[in-house]
Amino acid sequence: MFKTKICELLGIEYPIIQGGMAWVSDAILAAAVSEAGGLGIIAAGNAPADWVENEIIKAKEITDKPFGVNIMLLSPYVDDVVDVVIKHKIKVITTGAGSPGKYMDRFKEIGAKVIPVVASVALAKRMEKEGADAVVAEGMESGGHIGELTTIALVPQVVDAVDIPVIAAGGIADGRGFVAALALGAQGVQMGTRFVASVECTISEAYKKVIVEAKDRDTVITGRTTGHPVRIIKNKLAREFMKLENSGATKEELEKFGEGRLRLAAREGDVKNGSVMAGQIAGLINDIKPVSKIISDIMREAEEVLSNLSRLGDR
Ligand code: TUI
C-alpha cells in the first residue's frame, strides 16, 4: 500500500530508513532494520575506518538485504571511511553534517545510491545538481546535529525545489508522522530516536530508559555558539555545557568539554555526564520494541490514519 519511489530506488519493502546515529547504528541494528523490510544504516560517526569495515562485514553476515552506511563529514577519519565504503561497494550512502560533493564521483562509480542529509533547500538543490539520488530533509526536531528549520516547513519546500525523491526526518516515530511526511510530499521517512528504543539497538539500557521516560520538553539545543547545534536530552551534562557556553567559553573549550560524551552515554551508560542525543519525539516513545514490530506498527497505524482521513467528511 505504501510502496513509493524510495522502495524501488533502494530495493526495500517499506519506505522507512533507520538514521545513521554515531555510537548507536551498528551492524546489529542496521541488519535488523533491513531484515524487517526497511533500510538499515551503519553510522561511521567519528569512528576509525577499521571499525566501519568490521561492521560492514558483520552486517553482510547477518542479512542479504541491502543496507547503507552513513558518513559523518566532520569525522577526522572521513577520507579513510570513504575508501572503505568504496572497497565494499556499499549500495546506499547517506551523509550528514556537511556536503559530500567532493566524494560524489567516487560514490557514483561503484553504483551507490547517494542520499545526503540536508537541512536547507539550497543544499538540496546543490546535491541534486551534483548527482544525488535522493535527499533526506531533516528538520530541527531531530536529535544530534541539526539545522534551523522544522520538518513541516522544510520538507515541502525541498519537495518543490528538487525532482529527486525526498525522505522526511525529524519528529517522526509513528504512523501519524509517517502519513504526515507523505502528505508533505516525501517518498519515505528516516527515523532515529524510535530505533534507539528498540530491542536490537545495542546501546546501554540506561540510554534507552532516558528516551522512554522523556517528556515533550526534555530536549535542548546546545552548541549554537560553536556553529554545530546539537539537540540532546536535558541532563547534568547539558546544564554544564550551557553554563559554559553562556559564560563565553571558546569553541575549542566547548569542543574539549564535549569530547567523548556521546560514547559515555551510549556505550558506558553514564546518562548524567554523557550526551544523550535524542529528537523531540522522544516524548511520544514509551516502550522498547523489536525493530520488526516498530515497522509493522507504523505501517498498520498509517493505514488506519488514511482510512480515518478518508472518512473525515462523513456524518
Ligand atoms: O548529521 C546529522 N546528525 C548528527 S551528526 C552527529 S556527530 C556530531 N556531534 C557533534 C557535533 C557535530 C556532529 C550527531 N548528529 N544529521 C544530518 C544533518 N546534516 N543535520 C544537519 C546537517 C547539515 C548541516 C549543515 C548538513 C549540511 C550542512 O551544511 C553544509 C553546507 O555546505 O551547506
Side-chain angles (χ1 to χ4, degrees), residues 151-157 159-160 166 168 177-186:
T151 303
I152 203 160
L154 176 67
V155 171
Q157 295 188 66
V159 166
D160 283 356
V166 176
F178 176 87
V179 172
L182 297 192
L184 297 174

Side-chain angles (χ1 to χ4, degrees), residues 33-290:
V33 173
S34 290
E35 274 295 298
L39 186 82
I41 292 190
I42 293 166
N46 277 315
D50 59 352
W51 180 86
V52 180
E53 183 160 34
N54 254 322
E55 296 305 303
I56 291 170
I57 292 165
K58 272 196 245 171
K60 282 183 178 168
E61 282 166 7
I62 308 172
T63 184
D64 292 328
K65 304 227 170 115
F67 64 88
V69 171
N70 173 262
I71 302 176
M72 211 281 283
L73 294 159
L74 293 170
S75 164
Y77 305 108
V78 59
D79 288 329
D80 296 339
V81 169
V82 166
D83 288 345
V84 162
V85 301
I86 302 276
K87 177 179 161 195
H88 287 272
K89 296 197 167 50
I90 293 300
K91 296 216 163 53
V92 184
I93 299 167
T94 67
T95 62
S99 164
K102 71 173 187 178
Y103 305 111
M104 198 70 95
D105 289 347
R106 291 175 64 206
F107 292 158
K108 306 298 290 188
E109 255 170 47
I110 57 158
K113 305 294 180 210
V114 184
I115 311 184
V117 178
V118 302
S120 69
V121 166
L123 188 60
K125 284 164 88 166
R126 210 168 96 211
M127 292 301 99
E128 178 180 42
K129 212 184 285 170
E130 290 178 14
D133 297 278
V135 288
V136 174
E138 189 191 85
M140 55 83 80
E141 297 93 322
S142 304
H145 179 47
I146 52 173
E148 294 280 351
L149 296 175
T150 60
T151 303
I152 203 160
L154 176 67
V155 171
Q157 295 188 66
V158 172
V159 166
D160 283 356
V162 298
D163 290 322
I164 52 179
V166 176
I167 296 155
I172 303 165
D174 69 2
R176 293 169 296 181
F178 176 87
V179 172
L182 297 192
L184 297 174
Q187 301 282 325
V189 299
Q190 176 180 281
M191 301 189 300
T193 310
R194 179 60 270 192
F195 284 119
V196 172
S198 68
V199 170
E200 291 88 340
C201 179
T202 62
I203 62 163
S204 65
E205 288 305 313
Y207 197 121
K208 294 184 193 179
K209 188 162 175 272
V210 169
I211 288 178
V212 167
E213 289 176 358
K215 297 192 297 292
D216 55 348
R217 298 181 64 213
D218 283 352
T219 69
V220 284
I221 302 172
T222 55
R224 276 208 173 98
T225 61
T226 69
H228 298 306
V230 172
R231 182 180 300 284
I232 60 175
I233 294 279
K234 215 185 289 173
N235 64 358
K236 178 162 170 267
L237 166 80
R239 281 187 283 273
E240 285 175 3
F241 192 97
M242 286 188 290
K243 204 163 147 202
L244 200 60
E245 210 172 1
N246 291 335
S247 76
T250 64
K251 189 176 169 198
E252 288 70 31
E253 283 167 337
L254 290 167
E255 275 171 1
K256 182 126 192 46
F257 186 75
E259 230 173 66
R261 300 287 188 158
L262 179 57
R263 188 194 54 79
L264 191 61
R267 293 292 152 193
E268 289 182 28
D270 184 348
V271 293
K272 288 194 175 77
N273 298 296
S275 164
V276 183
M277 294 185 185
Q280 288 185 327
I281 206 67
L284 193 74
I285 298 166
N286 301 315
D287 52 8
I288 296 166
K289 297 195 275 200

